[in-house]
Structures are given as structure tokens and as C-alpha cells.
Amino acid sequence: DCEGYEYESGRYIIQRFFLRKDQNQKTQSGLVLACEAGSYTQESETILKNDNSTTVFGTSDGVVLMFNVDHFHYLLGVSNDANSADKRYMNIQTYRALNEYPRPRINSIQLGMLVHSSENIGQSAAVTDEQVFEVLDHKVKLKTDPRVKNPKHIRQVLSQTVAIRNGLVTHDTAEGI
């Protein structure tokens, strides 16, 4: 999993990705992308951090995956059951609010992040507090504290679409297997 634990077959792995404050303050913004993992079996009543743990999933700070992340957002890629029409991306709140049963198949996830350089670039006119960045379907304008002279950093939007292999087909077309 994202925290480096190995698992036996028959366990379901859960991973959550989130922004949190950098506890070691190694970053200027103080935010890092973190991941926490846990697992369960069909007989489990609780999702635990790993096979040998009593720590409940969702209660730890996880591990740092990336420093200098200002914004993190994801969208679910969905389609109809046959994966042939109605392909679109939506946030989790929109997906949960759908009154369809079954809900559309999730085929992919789009991940988007706004990251910044670790080094201050000085007082460049090319970098202003008024910049707006587009991260997937969000327009992001960073909050600044007028009482604090913020260092200037180069920022970049990173995005990636990840296919969920289990969601791409509805049935096995191989015969005799």
C-alpha cells in the first residue's frame, strides 16, 4: 500500500490521500500530500492500519508523498454500465447525490494538484498574488495574508488520469477460461 505494508490475499486495501500541515515544517506553505492506508476482510468489523495493528484507519497522519502542495483535487470518471456512453467526470459529492441505481460505473480518476517550487524566486513581477490556477474543474487563487510578506514561488498544475482496470469491462469475453 502507500505506506509500504504488504498484505496477504483476501484483504481489501483502502487508501486515502489528503493535504495536511507539514509537521516538520520542511515546506514554505506548510502543506504536504499525505496518504494513509488500511485494510479489512469480509469478516472484519473495523478497518485497521495493517494486519498487525490495532490502530483504526482514518486516525493517523499517514506518510508524506509530496511536499509543497498548495491544492489537491480529484474527479471520478464515470460511464454507463456497458462503458459505451455517457462518459463524464464529476466530484464525489455529485456522484453520491445521483439518484440512479446502480450508480454509473467508475472507470477512472483524474488527479490534480497545484505545487510550488521549494526555492523562493525573489520579487519577480511574473509571480503575483492575483494569479489564478485551473486545477481540473476548480479555479484556485491562493490566499495571502497581507500582514506577512510571502515569498514568491514558481507554481505548476500537475494532473493525471488513472484508469481503474476493474471498471473498464463488464464481463470476461475469453471463452473456456
Side-chain angles (χ1 to χ4, degrees):
D1 65 22
C2 65
E3 292 191 75
Y5 296 110
E6 293 183 7
Y7 295 91
E8 300 292 322
S9 64
R11 297 197 72 80
Y12 297 93
I13 309 302
I14 305 291
Q15 299 183 127
R16 70 181 182 109
F17 299 87
F18 55 98
L19 289 182
R20 68 166 168 81
K21 288 192 180 274
D22 182 8
Q23 295 160 336
N24 298 323
Q25 291 301 318
K26 292 181 182 177
T27 63
Q28 294 277 340
S29 74
L31 294 177
V32 296
L33 178 65
C35 179
E36 181 189 26
S39 72
Y40 66 94
T41 64
Q42 288 184 341
E43 295 80 33
S44 299
E45 293 182 17
T46 306
I47 301 173
L48 298 175
K49 291 287 294 165
N50 60 53
D51 287 344
N52 304 318
S53 175
T54 58
T55 304
V56 176
F57 174 75
T59 61
S60 81
D61 290 332
V63 296
V64 174
L65 298 178
M66 181 182 260
F67 293 98
N68 302 322
V69 179
D70 294 318
H71 184 78
F72 174 67
H73 181 58
Y74 65 93
L75 297 173
L76 304 175
V78 301
S79 69
N80 67 358
D81 230 16
N83 197 29
S84 61
D86 202 19
K87 295 178 183 172
R88 62 198 187 277
Y89 285 93
M90 62 181 62
N91 62 39
I92 189 73
Q93 293 82 6
T94 303
Y95 184 78
R96 285 181 158 173
L98 292 175
N99 288 327
E100 303 171 32
Y101 185 80
R103 287 188 178 130
R105 175 185 304 271
I106 299 173
N107 298 319
S108 61
I109 300 174
Q110 282 186 333
L111 305 169
M113 290 183 281
L114 177 61
V115 298
H116 69 264
S117 62
S118 58
E119 299 295 322
N120 181 356
I121 63 166
Q123 295 302 316
S124 172
V127 178
T128 70
D129 291 339
E130 301 306 313
Q131 288 180 290
V132 177
F133 301 89
E134 193 166 333
V135 181
L136 301 178
D137 64 341
H138 280 183
K139 299 247 189 257
V140 178
K141 181 176 184 284
L142 298 176
K143 296 177 184 174
T144 57
D145 185 345
R147 299 169 294 168
V148 177
K149 186 170 176 85
N150 291 325
K152 307 256 182 184
H153 294 276
I154 298 293
R155 287 187 162 74
Q156 183 171 2
V157 174
L158 303 176
S159 63
Q160 182 71 47
T161 301
V162 180
I164 299 175
R165 200 167 162 205
N166 296 3
L168 294 177
V169 295
T170 57
H171 62 281
D172 189 358
T173 56
E175 293 183 29
I177 295 179

